[in-house]
PDB file of all heavy atoms in Angstrom:
ATOM      1  N   LEU A 330      20.125  11.349  11.437  1.00 98.00           N
ATOM      2  CA  LEU A 330      20.365   9.897  11.434  1.00 98.00           C
ATOM      3  C   LEU A 330      21.694   9.601  12.115  1.00 98.00           C
ATOM      4  O   LEU A 330      21.809   8.700  12.953  1.00 98.00           O
ATOM      5  CB  LEU A 330      20.360   9.358  10.003  1.00 98.00           C
ATOM      6  CG  LEU A 330      20.723   7.878   9.845  1.00 98.00           C
ATOM      7  CD1 LEU A 330      19.799   6.976  10.651  1.00 98.00           C
ATOM      8  CD2 LEU A 330      20.685   7.486   8.362  1.00 98.00           C
ATOM      9  N   TYR A 331      22.710  10.385  11.775  1.00 98.00           N
ATOM     10  CA  TYR A 331      24.014  10.230  12.443  1.00 98.00           C
ATOM     11  C   TYR A 331      23.855  10.443  13.951  1.00 98.00           C
ATOM     12  O   TYR A 331      24.360   9.648  14.759  1.00 98.00           O
ATOM     13  CB  TYR A 331      25.010  11.253  11.881  1.00 98.00           C
ATOM     14  CG  TYR A 331      26.325  11.276  12.610  1.00 98.00           C
ATOM     15  CD1 TYR A 331      27.322  10.344  12.324  1.00 98.00           C
ATOM     16  CD2 TYR A 331      26.563  12.206  13.631  1.00 98.00           C
ATOM     17  CE1 TYR A 331      28.535  10.354  13.010  1.00 98.00           C
ATOM     18  CE2 TYR A 331      27.759  12.213  14.330  1.00 98.00           C
ATOM     19  CZ  TYR A 331      28.740  11.291  14.017  1.00 98.00           C
ATOM     20  OH  TYR A 331      29.927  11.291  14.710  1.00 98.00           O
ATOM     21  N   GLU A 332      23.095  11.453  14.325  1.00 98.00           N
ATOM     22  CA  GLU A 332      22.887  11.753  15.752  1.00 98.00           C
ATOM     23  C   GLU A 332      22.196  10.584  16.447  1.00 98.00           C
ATOM     24  O   GLU A 332      22.607  10.140  17.526  1.00 98.00           O
ATOM     25  CB  GLU A 332      22.039  13.018  15.883  1.00 98.00           C
ATOM     26  CG  GLU A 332      21.707  13.414  17.307  1.00 98.00           C
ATOM     27  CD  GLU A 332      20.762  14.622  17.375  1.00 98.00           C
ATOM     28  OE1 GLU A 332      20.572  15.311  16.341  1.00 98.00           O
ATOM     29  OE2 GLU A 332      20.212  14.862  18.473  1.00 98.00           O
ATOM     30  N   LEU A 334      22.066   7.376  15.553  1.00 97.00           N
ATOM     31  CA  LEU A 334      22.911   6.168  15.597  1.00 97.00           C
ATOM     32  C   LEU A 334      24.005   6.294  16.650  1.00 97.00           C
ATOM     33  O   LEU A 334      24.280   5.359  17.401  1.00 97.00           O
ATOM     34  CB  LEU A 334      23.511   5.902  14.214  1.00 97.00           C
ATOM     35  CG  LEU A 334      22.511   5.508  13.122  1.00 97.00           C
ATOM     36  CD1 LEU A 334      23.204   5.454  11.757  1.00 97.00           C
ATOM     37  CD2 LEU A 334      21.823   4.181  13.433  1.00 97.00           C
ATOM     38  N   THR A 335      24.613   7.456  16.747  1.00 97.00           N
ATOM     39  CA  THR A 335      25.693   7.623  17.738  1.00 97.00           C
ATOM     40  C   THR A 335      25.118   7.692  19.156  1.00 97.00           C
ATOM     41  O   THR A 335      25.738   7.215  20.107  1.00 97.00           O
ATOM     42  CB  THR A 335      26.529   8.883  17.433  1.00 97.00           C
ATOM     43  OG1 THR A 335      25.654   9.989  17.216  1.00 97.00           O
ATOM     44  CG2 THR A 335      27.387   8.670  16.189  1.00 97.00           C
ATOM     45  N   ARG A 338      24.552   4.150  20.037  1.00 95.00           N
ATOM     46  CA  ARG A 338      25.863   3.501  20.295  1.00 95.00           C
ATOM     47  C   ARG A 338      26.251   3.709  21.758  1.00 95.00           C
ATOM     48  O   ARG A 338      26.715   2.793  22.427  1.00 95.00           O
ATOM     49  CB  ARG A 338      26.916   4.129  19.386  1.00 95.00           C
ATOM     50  CG  ARG A 338      28.355   3.728  19.688  1.00 95.00           C
ATOM     51  CD  ARG A 338      29.343   4.701  19.053  1.00 95.00           C
ATOM     52  NE  ARG A 338      29.201   6.041  19.637  1.00 95.00           N
ATOM     53  CZ  ARG A 338      29.690   7.144  19.089  1.00 95.00           C
ATOM     54  NH1 ARG A 338      30.318   7.089  17.912  1.00 95.00           N
ATOM     55  NH2 ARG A 338      29.532   8.314  19.689  1.00 95.00           N
ATOM     56  N   ALA A 379      25.257   8.489   3.402  1.00 95.00           N
ATOM     57  CA  ALA A 379      26.503   9.154   3.830  1.00 95.00           C
ATOM     58  C   ALA A 379      26.513   9.315   5.349  1.00 95.00           C
ATOM     59  O   ALA A 379      27.544   9.097   6.002  1.00 95.00           O
ATOM     60  CB  ALA A 379      26.617  10.512   3.138  1.00 95.00           C
ATOM     61  N   ALA A 380      25.367   9.651   5.921  1.00 97.00           N
ATOM     62  CA  ALA A 380      25.278   9.796   7.384  1.00 97.00           C
ATOM     63  C   ALA A 380      25.507   8.447   8.055  1.00 97.00           C
ATOM     64  O   ALA A 380      26.196   8.357   9.090  1.00 97.00           O
ATOM     65  CB  ALA A 380      23.912  10.360   7.774  1.00 97.00           C
ATOM     66  N   ALA A 381      24.958   7.389   7.459  1.00 96.00           N
ATOM     67  CA  ALA A 381      25.156   6.045   8.019  1.00 96.00           C
ATOM     68  C   ALA A 381      26.629   5.652   7.941  1.00 96.00           C
ATOM     69  O   ALA A 381      27.206   5.103   8.894  1.00 96.00           O
ATOM     70  CB  ALA A 381      24.302   5.041   7.244  1.00 96.00           C
ATOM     71  N   ARG A 382      27.262   6.005   6.826  1.00 95.00           N
ATOM     72  CA  ARG A 382      28.680   5.672   6.651  1.00 95.00           C
ATOM     73  C   ARG A 382      29.519   6.411   7.686  1.00 95.00           C
ATOM     74  O   ARG A 382      30.429   5.859   8.279  1.00 95.00           O
ATOM     75  CB  ARG A 382      29.088   6.069   5.231  1.00 95.00           C
ATOM     76  CG  ARG A 382      30.543   5.855   4.935  1.00 95.00           C
ATOM     77  CD  ARG A 382      30.901   4.373   4.836  1.00 95.00           C
ATOM     78  NE  ARG A 382      32.330   4.156   5.026  1.00 95.00           N
ATOM     79  CZ  ARG A 382      32.883   3.685   6.143  1.00 95.00           C
ATOM     80  NH1 ARG A 382      32.104   3.386   7.158  1.00 95.00           N
ATOM     81  NH2 ARG A 382      34.188   3.499   6.245  1.00 95.00           N
ATOM     82  N   ARG A 383      29.162   7.656   7.931  1.00 96.00           N
ATOM     83  CA  ARG A 383      29.900   8.467   8.928  1.00 96.00           C
ATOM     84  C   ARG A 383      29.731   7.842  10.315  1.00 96.00           C
ATOM     85  O   ARG A 383      30.692   7.745  11.095  1.00 96.00           O
ATOM     86  CB  ARG A 383      29.334   9.892   8.905  1.00 96.00           C
ATOM     87  CG  ARG A 383      30.181  10.898   9.640  1.00 96.00           C
ATOM     88  CD  ARG A 383      29.677  12.327   9.362  1.00 96.00           C
ATOM     89  NE  ARG A 383      29.771  13.134  10.579  1.00 96.00           N
ATOM     90  CZ  ARG A 383      28.761  13.812  11.126  1.00 96.00           C
ATOM     91  NH1 ARG A 383      27.564  13.818  10.515  1.00 96.00           N
ATOM     92  NH2 ARG A 383      28.934  14.502  12.248  1.00 96.00           N
ATOM     93  N   ALA A 384      28.534   7.360  10.611  1.00 96.00           N
ATOM     94  CA  ALA A 384      28.295   6.726  11.911  1.00 96.00           C
ATOM     95  C   ALA A 384      29.137   5.458  12.036  1.00 96.00           C
ATOM     96  O   ALA A 384      29.755   5.206  13.073  1.00 96.00           O
ATOM     97  CB  ALA A 384      26.813   6.404  12.060  1.00 96.00           C
ATOM     98  N   LEU A 385      29.187   4.692  10.972  1.00 95.00           N
ATOM     99  CA  LEU A 385      30.035   3.478  10.957  1.00 95.00           C
ATOM    100  C   LEU A 385      31.482   3.853  11.260  1.00 95.00           C
ATOM    101  O   LEU A 385      32.136   3.240  12.099  1.00 95.00           O
ATOM    102  CB  LEU A 385      29.973   2.830   9.573  1.00 95.00           C
ATOM    103  CG  LEU A 385      29.193   1.553   9.407  1.00 95.00           C
ATOM    104  CD1 LEU A 385      29.124   1.171   7.931  1.00 95.00           C
ATOM    105  CD2 LEU A 385      29.812   0.423  10.207  1.00 95.00           C
ATOM    106  N   ALA A 386      31.945   4.888  10.587  1.00 94.00           N
ATOM    107  CA  ALA A 386      33.350   5.315  10.765  1.00 94.00           C
ATOM    108  C   ALA A 386      33.599   5.767  12.197  1.00 94.00           C
ATOM    109  O   ALA A 386      34.722   5.699  12.694  1.00 94.00           O
ATOM    110  CB  ALA A 386      33.663   6.440   9.783  1.00 94.00           C
ATOM    111  N   ASP A 387      32.527   6.207  12.877  1.00 95.00           N
ATOM    112  CA  ASP A 387      32.673   6.647  14.272  1.00 95.00           C
ATOM    113  C   ASP A 387      32.316   5.554  15.269  1.00 95.00           C
ATOM    114  O   ASP A 387      31.933   5.818  16.417  1.00 95.00           O
ATOM    115  CB  ASP A 387      31.813   7.903  14.519  1.00 95.00           C
ATOM    116  CG  ASP A 387      32.442   9.136  13.859  1.00 95.00           C
ATOM    117  OD1 ASP A 387      33.564   8.984  13.331  1.00 95.00           O
ATOM    118  OD2 ASP A 387      31.822  10.208  13.844  1.00 95.00           O
ATOM    119  N   GLY A 388      32.375   4.307  14.804  1.00 95.00           N
ATOM    120  CA  GLY A 388      32.286   3.188  15.730  1.00 95.00           C
ATOM    121  C   GLY A 388      30.909   2.647  16.000  1.00 95.00           C
ATOM    122  O   GLY A 388      30.737   1.785  16.866  1.00 95.00           O
ATOM    123  N   VAL A 389      29.898   3.131  15.286  1.00 96.00           N
ATOM    124  CA  VAL A 389      28.549   2.572  15.483  1.00 96.00           C
ATOM    125  C   VAL A 389      28.510   1.154  14.901  1.00 96.00           C
ATOM    126  O   VAL A 389      29.043   0.921  13.806  1.00 96.00           O
ATOM    127  CB  VAL A 389      27.478   3.455  14.795  1.00 96.00           C
ATOM    128  CG1 VAL A 389      26.105   2.795  14.840  1.00 96.00           C
ATOM    129  CG2 VAL A 389      27.422   4.827  15.477  1.00 96.00           C
ATOM    130  N   ASN A 390      27.918   0.245  15.657  1.00 97.00           N
ATOM    131  CA  ASN A 390      27.863  -1.164  15.239  1.00 97.00           C
ATOM    132  C   ASN A 390      26.703  -1.353  14.269  1.00 97.00           C
ATOM    133  O   ASN A 390      25.764  -2.092  14.527  1.00 97.00           O
ATOM    134  CB  ASN A 390      27.685  -2.039  16.488  1.00 97.00           C
ATOM    135  CG  ASN A 390      27.824  -3.514  16.173  1.00 97.00           C
ATOM    136  OD1 ASN A 390      28.199  -3.888  15.048  1.00 97.00           O
ATOM    137  ND2 ASN A 390      27.507  -4.353  17.138  1.00 97.00           N
ATOM    138  N   LEU A 391      26.790  -0.631  13.144  1.00 97.00           N
ATOM    139  CA  LEU A 391      25.707  -0.641  12.151  1.00 97.00           C
ATOM    140  C   LEU A 391      25.971  -1.779  11.176  1.00 97.00           C
ATOM    141  O   LEU A 391      27.021  -1.833  10.546  1.00 97.00           O
ATOM    142  CB  LEU A 391      25.641   0.706  11.427  1.00 97.00           C
ATOM    143  CG  LEU A 391      24.552   0.853  10.359  1.00 97.00           C
ATOM    144  CD1 LEU A 391      23.163   0.812  11.006  1.00 97.00           C
ATOM    145  CD2 LEU A 391      24.741   2.157   9.581  1.00 97.00           C
TER     146      LEU A 391
END
Side-chain angles (χ1 to χ4, degrees):
L330 175 58
Y331 174 82
E332 178 185 346
L334 293 172
T335 49
R338 171 198 64 196
R382 177 71 200 103
R383 193 170 142 234
L385 253 173
D387 286 355
V389 173
N390 189 8
L391 180 66

